[in-house]
Amino acid sequence: MGEQPIFSTRAHVFQIDPNTKKNWVPTSKHAVTVSYFYDSTRNVYRIISLDGSKAIINSTITPNMTFTKTSQKFGQWADSRANTVYGLGFSSEHHLSKFAEKFQEFKEAARLAKEKSQEKMELTSTPSQESAGGDLQSPLTPESINGTDDERTPDVTQNSEPRAEPTQNALPFSHRYRFNSTIMINSAISKHWEAELATLKGNNAKLTAALLESTANVKQWKQQLAAYQEEAERLHKRVTELECVSSQANAVHTHKSELNQTIQELEETLKVKEEEIERLKREIDNARELQEQRDSLTQKLQEVEIRNKDLEGQLSDLEQRLEKSQNEQEAFRNNLKTLLEILDGKIFELTELRDNLAKLLECS
């Protein structure tokens, strides 16, 4: 009831495989809301994420926790109380950085809250013990309750007879006042000790709860320690294998040098091939352009051939017409020649007729 969300984001949630401690197991099929919560009653910070009604993250931030960025969009932290490692996959590096900043901020706040709580417990226990020890010395001495030896002995004057010891009702006023004051002081001390006892009972309950929580944490730490020991043994075996392999380091180094030289030659060959490929690509582009031009010229040539056939037909028709026209002209010329011959004969006859008429005129 005292928890309030103070920061929220969306991410894919993972948990470490409890068997292998290596592989990640997704706990959400899609991105879910991951929120930081602050519990004002317990003064703690928690990371909570729900997938529907199921809580897939419920981790209390402690000062010894560390959030680690393992990639540009993935981060993780270990929770010893839950005995697991949580992983979050974000949609961007910005969201990951923001979540990591909030984790560090709330981790520092949790550390400060823990230190303040410890200081408050120390201040509560230390002054109460000192005040209790100081108040006990004065009122509990026999002299303060019954009076001093001088006060208990009644005054006797010289040359006087000893008097009888006074009864309780006949005690001096100073003795009765001192006795009542002692009773009041004892009552105040009793109340003070009752309050101290209640405080100690509360502290005892808190310490008992802390002890139970520490016991649970110890069990989890033991399990985690066993996992770390297994991992250490595995790494030790791996180191042993690597030490065995290190004897072949020289041969591997030589082989590596040869491989580097081969890789360099292959890179140079690849560079030449890439240049050749670029040249072939340019030639292919040019060939495509030429092919397009060829197709265009072929189409134009077909159009020209069709037009040429049409022109040849027209030319043949014109030739026929020309031949017919020539024949007609030839016939017309022949007719003209005939007409000219006839006209020449007529002209000759007219000339003779003129000459005869002229002679006749001369003769007449």
Side-chain angles (χ1 to χ4, degrees), residues 242-252:
L242 291 175
E243 288 177 352
C244 294
V245 173
S246 63
S247 60
Q248 302 175 356
N250 294 328
V252 171

Side-chain angles (χ1 to χ4, degrees), residues 168-202:
Q168 185 176 359
N169 293 329
L171 287 174
F173 175 76
S174 60
H175 285 261
R176 290 199 302 268
Y177 177 75
R178 190 176 291 111
F179 184 73
N180 293 332
S181 298
T182 303
I183 293 173
M184 292 175 65
I185 291 171
N186 290 335
S187 177
I189 292 173
S190 299
K191 292 181 180 179
H192 175 75
W193 278 109
E194 288 176 357
E196 287 295 327
L197 181 60
T199 303
L200 290 174
K201 285 182 179 180

